[in-house]
Amino acid sequence: MFNLRLDNISLGYSKRTVLHNISLEAKPGEILGIIGPNGSGKSTLIKGITRLIQPISGQIFLDGKDIASMNRQALAQLVAVVPQNPTLPELFTALEVVLMGRTPHLGLLRYEGEKDLATVQKAMEATQTLAFAERRVGELSGGERQRLTIARALAQEPKIILMDEPTANLDINYQIETLDLARQLCREQELIVVVTLHDLNLASQYCDRLVMLSDGRVYCHGIPKAVINAQTIKEVYGAEVYVYPHPVNDLPATLIVSDKDRKVF
Amino acid sequence: MALELLKNVILSKTATIYPIRWRSRIYAIAGLALLLGIIVIVTLAVGSTHIPFDTLCRVLLAKLPFIHAEPTWASNIETIIFDIRLPRLLLAGLVGAALAVAGTTYQGLFRNPLADPYLIGVAQGAALGAVIGFMLPISWQVGSIPLLAFIGAILAVAIVYSIARVGKTLPMTTLILAGVALGAFLTAITSYLIIASGDKLHGIISWLLGTFSLTSWWQVAMVTPYIFVGTIIIWLHARPLNVMQLDEEQAQQLGINVEQVKMILLGAATMITAAAVCFCGIIGFVGIIVPHAVRLIWGPDHRFLLPLATFAGAIFLILSDTVARTLLAPTEIPVGVITAFLGAPFFLYLLRQKKRAIF
């Protein structure tokens, strides 16, 4: 079975190490959530897996193969990214942007053929973006752009989709819609989905397993119930919160309260 | 290859998502290429010596193999057409195509609508080289001016490039700033030399504004290989250039070797710009306006934008040069004056028409 494995990896920029000795594993059909405060290294982890930065030590394996030995194109055939706040060229049409997802499968001299267009069409159907395929990106809403980048990631036909704060700029409806879609794709297409999240409730509801980062190290990991509780959040985020079982599905639900009422409890 | 796309678009079996735009853009490329051919032939007839169109046709046909036409025209007609007008026309076409393609490439690479082929020092380097050439006691025939202009252009960009490079990467903002700074430095030297140039001033100024007078075949032969090879290289990188419109991180995550593509495209665009300016001078406006005009009309996809800009640039500069040599004949107007004078109103008209985001 295809898997993603980080083996004792340290990542950083020139002299500053951001992530220390991270080891983790993800399997198809599973959503792995990465949570942790600002600056804990969530985005750095995604840059490392897509080799935008070279590891200081350790290795990252895709299906047992070290990514350091793969070229960019081969890597992009396996790993797709849904970036946070991506720059999208405004004059291009939605379809043209999704077609860019075929890039890793096309050589310099090849244009998109029947198969590529069929793949793109399927990706756009799955993300319900086909309706505005011919509209210019500049005219689309934040939610539509988010779905478009997911469609582009699907058009890559990857084994792994990395989502960096996919809900950061969306209203609550689009947040749910985006993660519903991520989970559906993950299950149906047997994808590995790794998602970084700020919102602990979304993380708890949607992720099969969570990794909580603190200061560039894995603080704890496991199923949401094992990771999200008042004590870990106090220690990692420094925030006083209340965690109760969700009334519908018993998953941990984080509740906040302002300092005015905090002492009452 | 392109043929596959062409076949798919025209037959369009999976018609559901094939955009209609593609088909119209392919027709536009063919249309512009055809228009270019027609304009080349028609403008051969235009000039201070009027050549009737039927005479022109017969002179041209006589050059074709297997056709024997009795020369019923004055012998100087043939000289005017083949030794004076045709090389000049072809050079204008080549230079227009080169500047438009280079401008499109720079705008795409820098993701900046203000970019033009002269952004990172080509023009300033070429100008300094040419002015030094004018100061030397050697005349045009030796070819020192174009050679020095070419070397100056390439050297300037090479210096800017090596200053801006950080390790294995090339930050585009640093590149622009280094280009602007070095450009200002070179312009300072050039300006001083111009003031000190005395009786060579007129020649220098008309070179700086750009002119195609005195074009001969050897110039066309010198420039063609550079422009041809550079343009082909750029055309082949149209898709990577599209993907790089996202941003560098996304492009890398889509499998593009961004640093390599940047180097290839910068090299090719610089080479063709240097080749374009070295004989005819710093012709402005073509390299910034033609790409925008084409983008406004046919959209931002570089696979269509680059070939369309190539043909549109050639057409635009051939027409501009025809005006430059006929409007006040026998006096010539520098073609750079005409490109701005004709091009600016047309571009402003396009801007008024569209009124939406242009880049």
Side-chain angles (χ1 to χ4, degrees):
Chain A
M1 192 159 61
F2 190 90
N3 73 340
L4 163 71
R5 189 159 62 84
L6 275 63
D7 188 7
N8 211 15
I9 193 123
S10 295
L11 291 164
Y13 308 93
S14 50
K15 296 211 168 64
R16 195 169 61 94
T17 307
V18 178
L19 286 169
H20 305 268
N21 308 97
I22 306 286
S23 294
L24 54 87
E25 225 177 311
K27 290 188 175 61
E30 174 186 76
I31 300 189
L32 177 66
I34 313 285
I35 55 177
N38 291 331
S40 59
K42 301 189 294 293
S43 300
T44 307
L45 191 65
I46 286 185
K47 285 186 186 169
I49 299 174
T50 51
R51 241 185 51 199
L52 291 185
I53 51 176
Q54 304 294 330
I56 295 163
S57 65
Q59 285 151 302
I60 297 173
F61 295 101
L62 293 181
D63 214 15
K65 229 175 128 191
D66 189 344
I67 65 162
S69 67
M70 301 167 80
N71 67 29
R72 278 214 177 286
Q73 191 170 2
L75 188 59
Q77 288 174 6
L78 296 174
V79 183
V81 180
V82 178
Q84 180 182 0
N85 259 332
T87 319
L88 298 176
E90 303 212 334
L91 283 190
F92 280 79
T93 62
L95 173 62
E96 285 166 340
V97 168
V98 180
L99 272 169
M100 289 179 188
R102 297 304 298 163
T103 307
H105 298 277
L106 297 167
L108 199 59
L109 297 180
R110 290 246 348 265
Y111 276 89
E112 295 88 345
E114 298 266 324
K115 183 184 164 292
D116 301 299
L117 282 153
T119 310
V120 164
Q121 180 159 6
K122 244 173 55 195
M124 294 187 84
E125 271 164 11
T127 51
Q128 295 175 15
T129 50
L130 209 49
F132 50 86
E134 282 286 271
R135 293 241 314 271
R136 291 181 194 277
V137 172
E139 302 164 6
L140 302 180
S141 73
E144 288 169 330
R145 280 162 176 252
Q146 186 66 273
R147 297 212 307 271
L148 205 59
T149 48
I150 296 174
R152 189 185 72 200
L154 286 178
Q156 274 175 264
E157 295 186 301
K159 302 265 198 229
I160 302 175
I161 293 188
L162 307 174
M163 305 175 97
D164 192 4
E165 298 286 357
T167 56
N169 300 300
L170 301 180
D171 64 37
I172 194 158
N173 174 42
Y174 282 132
Q175 293 182 2
I176 294 170
E177 195 176 278
T178 302
L179 289 174
D180 276 340
L181 176 62
R183 178 147 69 187
Q184 179 204 338
L185 296 169
C186 168
R187 303 283 196 258
E188 281 175 6
Q189 309 193 11
E190 287 280 292
L191 296 170
I192 297 175
V193 175
V194 179
V195 53
T196 71
L197 286 167
H198 265 305
D199 189 316
L200 296 171
N201 285 323
L202 291 174
S204 161
Q205 288 297 316
Y206 284 96
C207 298
D208 301 298
R209 283 191 305 129
L210 289 174
V211 173
M212 188 182 268
L213 296 177
S214 172
D215 263 340
R217 290 169 213 278
V218 175
Y219 184 82
C220 58
H221 61 95
I223 58 169
K225 225 172 201 160
V227 174
I228 295 179
N229 56 58
Q231 191 202 342
T232 53
I233 291 167
K234 168 80 178 148
E235 280 166 17
V236 172
Y237 289 83
E240 296 268 5
V241 298
Y242 300 89
V243 178
Y244 294 103
H246 195 286
V248 174
N249 54 23
D250 232 24
L251 288 163
T254 308
L255 298 176
I256 55 166
V257 80
S258 72
D259 61 349
K260 171 165 73 72
D261 300 323
R262 211 170 282 156
K263 293 180 190 73
V264 180
F265 279 82
Chain B
M1 275 278 298
L3 272 180
E4 198 180 329
L5 178 75
L6 198 73
K7 192 191 75 193
N8 282 332
V9 168
I10 290 172
L11 301 178
S12 84
K13 273 174 276 174
T14 45
T16 40
I17 68 162
Y18 269 111
I20 306 147
R21 282 169 219 250
W22 285 9
R23 202 179 310 199
S24 69
R25 286 172 192 168
I26 287 171
Y27 292 152
I29 293 175
L32 279 188
L34 189 70
L35 184 64
L36 176 61
I38 294 170
I39 284 175
V40 166
I41 292 173
V42 170
T43 49
L44 273 177
V46 182
S48 50
T49 307
H50 178 70
I51 299 172
F53 197 67
D54 63 315
T55 311
L56 174 74
C57 290
R58 276 184 290 133
V59 174
L60 291 179
L61 283 175
K63 279 281 170 184
L64 294 176
F66 312 118
I67 296 180
H68 297 284
E70 282 301 309
T72 54
W73 50 83
S75 62
N76 70 332
I77 296 278
E78 223 168 297
T79 313
I80 289 174
I81 291 176
F82 290 110
D83 293 339
I84 298 174
R85 287 194 191 158
L86 190 58
R88 177 172 184 154
L89 242 155
L90 290 180
L91 189 66
L94 281 167
V95 169
L99 292 177
V101 150
T104 313
T105 310
Y106 277 112
Q107 285 173 6
L109 272 177
F110 291 105
R111 280 183 279 132
N112 187 333
L114 293 176
D116 78 350
Y118 305 145
L119 183 69
I120 53 170
V122 173
Q124 295 87 342
L128 181 57
V131 171
I132 291 173
F134 275 104
M135 309 298 272
L136 294 175
I138 321 166
S139 63
W140 257 99
Q141 284 76 20
V142 188
S144 72
I145 291 170
L147 185 66
L148 285 170
F150 188 82
I151 292 172
I154 300 286
L155 259 185
V157 174
I159 292 170
V160 167
Y161 178 85
S162 57
I163 290 174
R165 196 166 179 84
V166 182
K168 278 184 190 161
T169 62
L170 185 66
M172 296 311 248
T173 317
T174 318
L175 192 68
I176 295 181
L177 290 175
V180 170
L182 185 79
F185 178 73
L186 296 178
T187 304
I189 302 175
T190 310
S191 305
Y192 173 76
L193 289 178
I194 291 174
I195 289 170
S197 65
D199 59 339
K200 289 163 183 143
L201 187 67
H202 185 260
I204 293 177
I205 295 293
S206 79
W207 191 92
L208 288 178
L209 284 169
T211 178
F212 289 106
S213 60
L214 302 175
T215 301
S216 55
W217 277 108
W218 72 272
Q219 297 175 343
V220 178
M222 291 282 287
V223 169
T224 305
Y226 291 103
I227 293 179
F228 198 75
V229 170
T231 303
I232 295 288
I233 290 174
I234 291 173
W235 280 17
L236 288 179
H237 285 80
R239 202 188 25 227
L241 197 54
N242 273 349
V243 178
M244 283 166 68
Q245 300 313 298
L246 296 165
D247 58 42
E248 289 188 12
E249 281 195 5
Q250 290 182 75
Q252 285 180 319
Q253 286 164 340
L254 284 166
I256 302 283
N257 194 337
V258 169
E259 294 303 328
Q260 188 190 323
V261 172
K262 273 199 278 193
M263 231 170 74
I264 292 172
L265 286 178
L266 272 181
T270 301
M271 180 178 79
I272 64 176
T273 311
V277 299
C278 70
F279 284 111
C280 55
I282 316 293
I283 296 169
F285 215 68
V286 182
I288 187 159
I289 290 310
V290 171
H292 279 302
V294 171
R295 198 181 286 110
L296 273 172
I297 299 173
W298 287 291
D301 186 338
H302 286 88
R303 291 172 305 173
F304 303 102
L305 182 55
L306 287 166
L308 285 166
T310 309
F311 295 127
I315 291 171
F316 178 57
L317 204 52
I318 287 176
L319 290 180
S320 295
D321 184 51
T322 306
V323 174
R325 66 188 163 86
T326 51
L327 195 64
L328 298 179
T331 312
E332 290 227 359
I333 307 167
V335 68
V337 174
I338 301 295
T339 54
F341 193 77
L342 285 182
F346 172 66
F347 186 65
L348 291 173
Y349 162 77
L350 278 182
L351 281 181
R352 279 289 296 169
Q353 289 288 302
K354 294 282 180 171
K355 283 190 184 159
R356 57 168 159 71
I358 65 154
F359 193 77

